Amino acid sequence: MDSRKLSALLSSLVSQLLLLLLLFDSNFHDFSSNYNGNLFSIINHLLSSQEIAASLSLVSVSRKRKRTHLAEPASEPVEEESGSGIGPEFALTRSPDSFKNCFKMSSSTFEWLSGLLEPLLDCRDPVGSPLNLSAEIRLGIGLFRLATGSSYPEIAKRFGVSESVTRFCSRQLCRVLCTNFRFWVAFPGSDELKSVSASFEELGGLPNCCGAIDCTRFNIVKESNGCELTQLGKLKEDSIATQIVVDSSSRILSIVAGFRGDKSNSRILKCSTLYKDVEGGMLLNSSLVGVNGVPRGEYLVGDGGYPLLPWLMVPFVDAVPGSNEEKFNRMLGLMHVPVLRTISSLKSWGVLNKPIEEELKTAVAIIGACSILHNVLLMRDDDSASCGGVGEYSVPDNSSKHHGDTSLEEISIQEKALVIRNALATMVSKTQV
């Protein structure tokens, strides 16, 4: 019998027998002292049995923990142990550099995440093919794939498992994160949005801003009945557009991935659930407040690739140096930096820093998993995957012009947005010395 089951059975039996004996003793308290001595011996024996049961349980846990020591990916390929099926397990040094390089997180974050995901990673093995791998090993394989972007054959050699197991563990981690922990990427409620807007105001000086929005592209290698090749014999690449909204700390509040990369930012926005939720009054729906006599609600900030809307402020085009418009653009640029920093951090994950060699559905899951992990690291104050600067994304696009629809409805909406933006620009000029 499994030691854990045996432990539970013994504990249950001991508890019931102790209860019966104590009740018996209380009902027949006039028994002789000889009986009381025998009762003490029996209880002592039963307590010893409980200690044995506890020891068996500890042995079980100890064996499990011994099995779950994560193998630090070796610099050279390792061969499988004969009959083990999971490869040799190395003693993990837990050095900061090794964890940051291999998993993009500290050892403490890894252990916390492993414990949290263990019930979900340990189940749903391939039908008829149990992996006999601990949650720690599974998590390590999946994170190594995301952090380094290594190919499945390379990871299989490093961890001493088969390529099919590596592929399963990597996809299982993305599936678990995107299915069970997607709440880690969520737009805040009205109360929390007040704190978000206060942080943005401190950052850039504009009040009531609730997020910075931008769109980035991730390259993907298209597959169709295997790898699709061009006439030059190279893999055919495409791109996935991903729309991201963040707060002032670069925490992702909303992410939508899976659009074709050739779509414009404006087109992607209008096709997104974010647009529908805001237009439907489900988001950014606080009471209007006056700015220089102009009613204004909550809004996002974006660059010149987005349309100007009452709830989306974008830069003035061709602003004259020293003008209110130019000062507004400068403030808007500061408030836009957090989303650029987030994009830079996401692209520091190895699997997103080069063409993703996966089918579209899996590639979208990878983007989602990296986004969730990005927020997890921020939540735990773990800067292993953060970028100190924003690199090539440091200069917002303030010069590009959005070419929107010219319908009467669009013109009316834009006119309202222009009034709000002008009021904000005037307010900025008054607050600056």
Side-chain angles (χ1 to χ4, degrees):
M1 182 184 293
D2 181 81
S3 57
R4 285 176 293 179
K5 294 181 180 178
L6 179 59
S7 171
L9 178 61
L10 285 174
S11 297
S12 177
L13 290 174
V14 167
S15 299
Q16 294 181 43
L17 287 172
L18 280 172
L19 180 60
L20 289 173
L21 287 171
L22 290 174
L23 287 173
F24 183 83
D25 182 51
S26 63
N27 291 331
F28 298 93
H29 52 79
D30 56 344
F31 265 41
S32 65
S33 59
N34 183 41
Y35 166 76
N36 290 332
N38 290 335
L39 178 61
F40 178 81
S41 300
I42 294 172
I43 292 175
N44 184 60
H45 172 72
L46 291 174
L47 289 174
S48 299
S49 298
Q50 277 197 309
E51 291 177 0
I52 294 172
S55 298
L56 288 173
S57 178
L58 288 173
V59 168
S60 172
V61 174
S62 176
R63 286 176 178 173
K64 183 178 179 181
R65 287 178 178 172
K66 182 177 181 180
R67 181 174 68 89
T68 59
H69 283 320
L70 180 66
E72 183 174 4
S75 57
E76 298 296 333
V78 295
E79 297 180 359
E80 285 192 9
E81 287 183 337
S82 57
S84 70
I86 62 172
E89 298 186 2
F90 300 90
L92 194 60
T93 61
R94 307 282 172 179
S95 69
D97 288 341
S98 70
F99 264 82
K100 184 174 182 178
N101 293 335
C102 294
F103 309 118
K104 278 200 172 294
M105 61 182 59
S106 66
S107 60
S108 61
T109 298
F110 183 97
E111 291 168 359
W112 174 82
L113 192 60
S114 177
L116 184 67
L117 302 184
E118 180 176 4
L120 296 168
L121 294 179
D122 268 346
C123 65
R124 297 181 183 178
D125 282 356
V127 178
S129 304
L131 300 185
N132 191 30
L133 289 176
S134 68
E136 198 175 30
I137 295 291
R138 296 170 191 241
L139 177 61
I141 292 173
L143 284 178
F144 191 81
R145 164 71 174 161
L146 297 179
T148 67
S150 300
S151 65
Y152 290 120
E154 180 182 355
I155 300 173
K157 291 179 181 180
R158 288 176 178 269
F159 281 85
V161 296
S162 68
E163 183 178 338
S164 61
V165 167
T166 301
R167 189 180 297 270
F168 175 83
C169 290
S170 300
R171 294 182 176 181
Q172 184 192 39
L173 174 61
C174 294
R175 182 170 60 252
V176 165
L177 288 174
C178 293
T179 302
N180 300 90
F181 295 94
R182 60 191 305 170
F183 60 86
W184 274 333
V185 175
F187 215 87
S190 56
D191 290 338
E192 189 181 351
L193 273 182
K194 295 178 182 177
S195 174
V196 171
S197 62
S199 297
F200 269 113
E201 186 171 1
E202 183 178 350
L203 177 66
L206 295 178
N208 233 28
C209 173
C210 295
I213 187 172
D214 209 333
C215 197
T216 188
R217 274 81 181 164
F218 299 99
N219 292 330
I220 179 174
V221 175
K222 296 181 65 175
E223 294 185 6
S224 176
N225 297 324
C227 294
E228 187 177 336
L229 302 180
T230 65
Q231 292 181 349
L232 298 177
K234 297 181 179 180
L235 293 175
K236 185 176 180 180
E237 294 185 9
D238 205 340
S239 63
I240 301 175
T242 303
Q243 176 182 281
I244 302 172
V245 179
V246 308
D247 66 11
S248 62
S249 69
S250 293
R251 174 173 60 116
I252 300 175
L253 307 179
S254 169
I255 183 167
V256 181
F259 294 101
R260 287 180 50 181
D262 58 357
K263 287 181 177 289
S264 68
N265 291 4
S266 174
R267 178 69 174 170
I268 291 169
L269 172 66
K270 292 184 178 180
C271 292
S272 69
T273 54
L274 174 72
Y275 184 88
K276 295 178 176 64
D277 287 343
V278 176
E279 290 291 323
M282 298 178 65
L283 291 177
L284 306 181
N285 54 5
S286 69
S287 301
L288 299 179
V289 296
V291 176
N292 292 329
V294 177
R296 172 195 45 78
E298 296 170 328
Y299 58 90
L300 307 178
V301 295
D303 64 12
Y306 285 99
L308 176 64
L309 301 169
W311 54 269
L312 177 54
M313 295 291 103
V314 299
F316 288 94
V317 177
D318 301 327
V320 177
S323 65
N324 292 349
E325 290 80 6
E326 192 269 339
K327 294 175 183 178
F328 175 86
N329 285 359
R330 186 166 59 249
M331 292 297 98
L332 207 69
L334 290 175
M335 297 167 71
H336 193 247
V337 166
V339 71
L340 305 178
R341 184 177 291 112
T342 299
I343 291 172
S344 185
S345 292
L346 286 179
K347 292 196 172 184
S348 72
W349 288 83
V351 72
L352 299 181
N353 197 30
K354 59 183 180 180
I356 308 171
E357 297 183 23
E358 299 282 1
E359 58 183 11
L360 178 62
K361 184 177 180 180
T362 302
V364 170
I366 287 174
I367 296 170
C370 290
S371 301
I372 291 171
L373 291 171
H374 169 87
N375 279 6
V376 168
L377 295 177
L378 285 178
M379 178 179 65
R380 290 185 55 83
D381 294 323
D382 188 339
D383 62 354
S384 300
S386 63
C387 295
V390 293
E392 61 180 303
Y393 309 101
S394 59
V395 180
D397 179 11
N398 290 344
S399 60
S400 62
K401 296 182 180 181
H402 165 70
H403 301 283
D405 298 329
T406 56
S407 66
L408 292 177
E409 182 181 3
E410 289 285 340
I411 293 174
S412 175
I413 291 174
Q414 190 175 49
E415 286 177 349
K416 293 179 182 178
L418 282 169
V419 172
I420 295 173
R421 185 172 65 175
N422 289 336
L424 287 171
T426 302
M427 188 204 69
V428 168
S429 67
K430 291 180 179 179
T431 58
Q432 291 185 349
V433 179

